[in-house]
Amino acid sequence: MTFGATDRDLPDARALRDDFPVLPHQNRKADAPPLSLCYTEVPYADLKRRWTSSFLLDSLSNWLRLSAKGKLHQADQPLEPFLDSSREVLIVSEQILQEEEQLVVLPVPSPRERHLEALVAVKQADVEGNKILGRTIDDLAFRVAVVDCPVRTHGIIHRSPKSLADLDSLLSDEAFDFTATLRSRLRSWKAGLETEKLAKLRSLKLLLVLSLPKARQPDEAAETTEHRAFVTSASVEEIGVDIGAWVVHDGHLVDWAGSDDAANENQGEKTLLDGIRVMWTLTRSNAAALSGRRPAAIKSVAVGVGALGSQVVSNLLCQGFGAWTFIDHDILLPHNTVRHELAACYVGMSKAQALAQSLAPLLSDEEPPRFIHDDILQPERCQEEIEASMESADLVIDMSASLAVGRHFAFDARTSGRRISVFLNPTGTDLVVLAEPQDRSLDLFDLEVQYYRLIATNAGLSGHFPNGKSGLRYSHGCRDVSAVLPLDAVATHAAIASRAVQDLRTDAIVSLWHLNPHSEIQRINAPLAAMQLMECGEWRLRIDARVSTAMVEERAKKLQRETGGVLIGAIDTEARVLAVVGAIPSPPDSREENTLYIRGSRGLSARVRAWNESTGGNLVYLGEWHSHPDDASTDPSGDDLRLFDHLTSYMRPAGLPALMVILGADRRATVLIGKSSPVRQDTVLQ
């Protein structure tokens, strides 16, 4: 055992027996021959906080015992690395590594002056504006050479070679001559270049990448391939001289004309190497695997990439979910950066464009996100592009926080994709996710009104829509007001929303997540009901099945007398749609007789106002309902028609239609709707 004087490194355990076998989990140190035993995988900085002598003895005993049984390296355990690790790293896409002539490599700036920590390799054609990391391609200092090595059996972890000569000793055998392979590669470069490009090549350093296939047992096929890289201290010209590829004569590179044996005397002792780990750029499958998800290249459209939307799509893409198109007509303003995914360097840019650009490098095996800088409701430039994106999408998510956009998704948008709406309440305490079922048996408007019903009927959500105005003014315009929302709340909800999107099943959901002042999250799922649809002239009526059942049950209680009440719901005057989601039963001062019903008013105004105020004004009084006895039809009587005329007069100042539902036996009903003379629709309530 060797203990370092500074106590920075793991105590080194060496096998001093001359006949000690070569086994997995051994390191060949620089001062070999004694092999070092790799007896723990825990970093020493962490391990020494709980280090004891018994731990050391137990670890060594365990290593020896399991090695003797051939069980130290399990059959399902990854193969041992061929070379020990290094701090510096080369980041490159596995897909483009073999295209060595097209690669450009540049050191990533490090805060440690004159210290190399990372290199990035990309295809020259992909470098925007002929620049990478702020440097032109003319500034690039490396030429890449990828060398494919024969299959090797895993076992000892070798020390990183310090020179080309060391590397040749490690790799070359009867079947493979590393130096001869590199020599041939350098000569082929020289032969294929014009004078000007050859002059540039001569001064470049070499970035040497080894492809090392590894097998678990001798004579087995390769199970995996290890890649390691080295940066040379010398230029390509100097390396060629050092390994006998050429000589320099009168400033020209001249191929070595001597014998092969003489050339082989030059094995690269003068060319020093710095070892570099090779790490692949992130792919969709890697991103999903690291997130515990399955990759999903679903064609997805996000409408609205503001504070919430930008974080949601970033979360999803980081987990390998979605092939995205972003649609938004806003630009990033300074106050947006308080909560937005984008940094302040993007201020003034299109949100959609900037977000697409910032996320483009994330997945190296995918096309970058597309963006459309236009208003989805009133497109000025990109209507055809918007329509094409929507029609081809598998998933469309409205995160615009716009009622109009949500209704557009419900009524007008042409897409076969799943439609989802994701938004926050005005104070940012609640996240709401509305997802249409796969079969669209309920659309987003149906789900929206059932979400309002949840708010109105759940006392715990009484503050979901706050009373009064809130927000901060960020400029001089009357609409220049921004919500007061902390970033941590938006980020919390964005994380939940991204998970909810990935966990969607085929059925509909209306879910709300409430973040309380103690940072606790409560999920509330709205019970959903079918919506019965009726075409009534220019108006379309939708009735929540629970409302129908409530009216039927109330009628049954009062037989043979008539009863009734008030209908509550939402109305979209542009789409000519009414949705009934609530029925207030007959007030206690109502007159209920066998052939007469006069609805009272005691407590009614307060109950209607409660529905309205608790939902931010989204649920309103829509009309009246009353019952007829079993022995009577649902035809409107003269009194019913006079009442309907009164309702039209009451609703006319607001420009809204009157609504009346007459309920009879066996769930039969007659619906009257209109702004003057009624349109009649006979039906059976579901």
Side-chain angles (χ1 to χ4, degrees), residues 21-58:
V22 175
L23 298 167
H25 298 277
Q26 291 176 305
N27 300 309
R28 190 180 295 281
K29 300 287 187 177
D31 54 346
L35 294 174
S36 174
L37 309 186
C38 182
Y39 58 89
T40 180
E41 59 184 16
V42 180
Y44 185 56
D46 297 331
L47 186 61
K48 68 180 181 179
R49 299 286 180 176
R50 49 189 173 89
W51 179 275
T52 64
S53 57
S54 60
F55 168 81
L56 174 60
L57 294 175
D58 288 344

Side-chain angles (χ1 to χ4, degrees), residues 72-370:
L72 182 62
H73 196 93
Q74 301 296 320
D76 60 349
Q77 189 174 349
L79 302 184
E80 287 284 87
F82 181 69
L83 294 168
D84 59 11
S85 186
S86 58
R87 177 175 177 175
E88 295 76 16
V89 61
L90 168 68
I91 302 169
V92 62
S93 167
E94 188 174 10
Q95 295 176 311
I96 67 171
L97 185 59
Q98 296 300 324
E99 303 177 50
E100 60 181 46
E101 294 184 4
Q102 299 299 319
L103 292 180
V104 291
V105 181
L106 191 72
V108 178
S110 169
R112 295 163 55 175
E113 187 175 357
R114 297 183 179 180
H115 184 82
L116 176 68
E117 293 195 47
L119 296 170
V120 174
V122 297
K123 290 179 68 173
Q124 180 171 333
D126 294 337
V127 180
E128 184 177 356
N130 208 39
K131 286 188 176 183
I132 176 173
L133 298 174
R135 301 274 294 278
T136 65
I137 290 177
D138 292 336
D139 297 327
L140 303 183
F142 297 97
R143 176 62 191 262
V144 180
V146 180
V147 176
D148 295 320
C149 302
V151 177
R152 299 174 183 276
T153 305
H154 90 123
I156 293 179
I157 304 172
H158 297 272
R159 67 182 179 89
S160 186
K162 300 301 181 184
S163 68
L164 280 179
D166 290 345
L167 189 56
D168 181 83
S169 298
L170 187 62
L171 298 178
S172 294
D173 54 26
E174 294 180 358
F176 179 70
D177 188 331
F178 168 74
T179 299
T181 300
L182 183 59
R183 186 186 300 132
S184 175
R185 182 74 57 84
L186 265 58
R187 286 173 175 170
S188 68
W189 289 352
K190 179 176 74 71
L193 291 178
E194 301 171 357
T195 302
E196 182 179 345
K197 292 183 178 180
L198 179 60
K200 174 66 176 176
L201 172 67
R202 293 170 64 170
S203 64
L204 296 179
K205 300 289 182 67
L206 183 65
L207 177 65
L208 181 63
V209 181
L210 301 181
S211 178
L212 299 161
K214 296 183 298 184
R216 192 169 293 270
Q217 298 293 338
D219 301 324
E220 287 186 353
E223 183 176 312
T224 186
T225 300
E226 179 179 338
H227 289 84
R228 296 302 299 268
F230 299 90
V231 171
T232 63
S233 61
S235 66
V236 170
E237 176 181 315
E238 294 166 334
I239 294 169
V241 173
D242 194 27
I243 64 173
W246 52 59
V247 295
V248 179
H249 180 72
D250 291 337
H252 298 284
L253 302 184
V254 180
D255 286 352
W256 178 267
S259 67
D260 289 340
D261 291 339
N264 287 335
E265 293 178 1
N266 299 320
Q267 296 289 342
E269 292 89 349
K270 297 179 182 179
T271 303
L272 302 183
L273 302 176
D274 286 322
I276 300 179
R277 291 178 296 147
V278 177
M279 296 192 69
W280 305 128
T281 51
L282 192 66
T283 63
R284 182 183 296 279
S285 59
N286 293 149
L290 289 166
S291 304
R293 295 281 185 176
R294 292 183 178 180
I298 296 172
K299 294 184 69 174
S300 306
V301 173
V303 178
V305 285
L308 181 66
S310 64
Q311 294 191 46
V312 170
V313 296
S314 178
N315 291 346
L316 289 169
L317 197 57
C318 283
Q319 297 176 73
F321 183 95
W324 289 94
T325 297
F326 307 145
I327 303 176
D328 200 315
H329 66 286
D330 282 342
I331 63 172
L332 189 72
L333 298 175
H335 71 279
N336 296 142
T337 59
V338 171
R339 297 178 291 267
H340 207 277
E341 177 73 13
L342 293 170
C345 59
Y346 290 101
V347 165
M349 287 185 62
S350 157
K351 288 180 180 177
Q353 180 183 13
L355 189 63
Q357 289 180 0
S358 70
L359 295 176
L362 183 63
L363 303 181
S364 62
D365 61 339
E366 299 290 334
E367 292 295 320
R370 297 174 59 249

Side-chain angles (χ1 to χ4, degrees), residues 461-480:
L461 298 173
S462 58
H464 181 80
F465 286 101
N467 294 322
K469 296 181 178 179
S470 62
L472 284 178
R473 189 169 298 281
Y474 61 84
S475 190
H476 303 294
C478 62
R479 297 179 181 174
D480 293 342

Side-chain angles (χ1 to χ4, degrees), residues 446-684:
D446 297 325
L447 303 179
E448 177 192 338
V449 295
Q450 296 195 50
Y451 145 64
Y452 295 144
R453 175 188 169 97
L454 171 68
I455 302 302
T457 57
N458 188 318
L461 298 173
S462 58
H464 181 80
F465 286 101
N467 294 322
K469 296 181 178 179
S470 62
L472 284 178
R473 189 169 298 281
Y474 61 84
S475 190
H476 303 294
C478 62
R479 297 179 181 174
D480 293 342
V481 178
S482 181
V484 178
L485 294 175
L487 172 61
D488 51 13
V490 177
T492 298
H493 289 313
I496 294 170
S498 61
R499 173 165 289 200
V501 169
Q502 294 179 89
D503 292 342
L504 283 176
R505 299 184 299 273
T506 58
D507 53 339
I509 67 165
V510 172
S511 290
L512 181 148
W513 288 263
H514 176 68
L515 176 64
N516 72 19
H518 306 292
S519 300
E520 298 166 332
I521 296 287
Q522 177 189 12
R523 178 174 181 172
I524 302 171
N525 295 319
L528 299 180
M531 299 290 286
Q532 184 173 358
L533 311 182
M534 284 174 265
E535 297 289 337
C536 304
E538 64 176 344
W539 293 93
R540 290 175 289 170
L541 177 65
R542 306 179 180 201
I543 301 181
D544 186 311
R546 289 166 296 193
V547 175
S548 299
T549 298
M551 290 191 295
V552 169
E553 291 176 350
E554 193 67 19
R555 174 185 178 276
K557 288 181 191 177
K558 301 294 180 70
L559 284 175
Q560 285 292 327
R561 294 172 294 156
E562 295 187 6
T563 189
V566 164
L567 300 174
I568 299 293
I571 184 168
D572 189 307
T573 54
E574 184 174 357
R576 295 288 196 272
V577 177
L578 294 88
V580 179
V581 292
I584 299 175
S586 183
D589 58 338
S590 301
R591 185 177 172 186
E592 300 175 335
E593 299 180 2
N594 290 348
T595 58
L596 176 69
Y597 174 70
I598 299 176
R599 196 252 303 146
S601 61
R602 186 183 306 165
L604 186 59
S605 294
R607 297 187 68 177
V608 172
R609 187 166 56 251
W611 280 82
N612 181 259
E613 292 179 355
S614 65
T615 61
N618 288 293
L619 293 185
V620 298
Y621 168 86
L622 290 181
E624 305 280 335
W625 76 274
H626 70 274
S627 65
H628 281 183
D630 284 346
D631 57 356
S633 72
T634 58
D635 292 334
S637 65
D639 288 340
D640 293 338
L641 293 175
R642 283 188 289 274
L643 173 60
F644 186 83
D645 186 59
H646 171 75
L647 289 175
T648 59
S649 299
Y650 176 77
M651 303 295 283
R652 188 175 295 119
L656 301 177
L659 173 64
M660 178 185 289
V661 176
I662 304 171
L663 179 61
D666 301 323
R667 304 180 78 98
R668 296 193 307 273
T670 293
V671 175
L672 303 179
I673 188 171
K675 290 185 176 181
S676 54
S677 58
V679 173
R680 175 173 173 168
Q681 177 71 47
D682 294 319
T683 188
V684 175

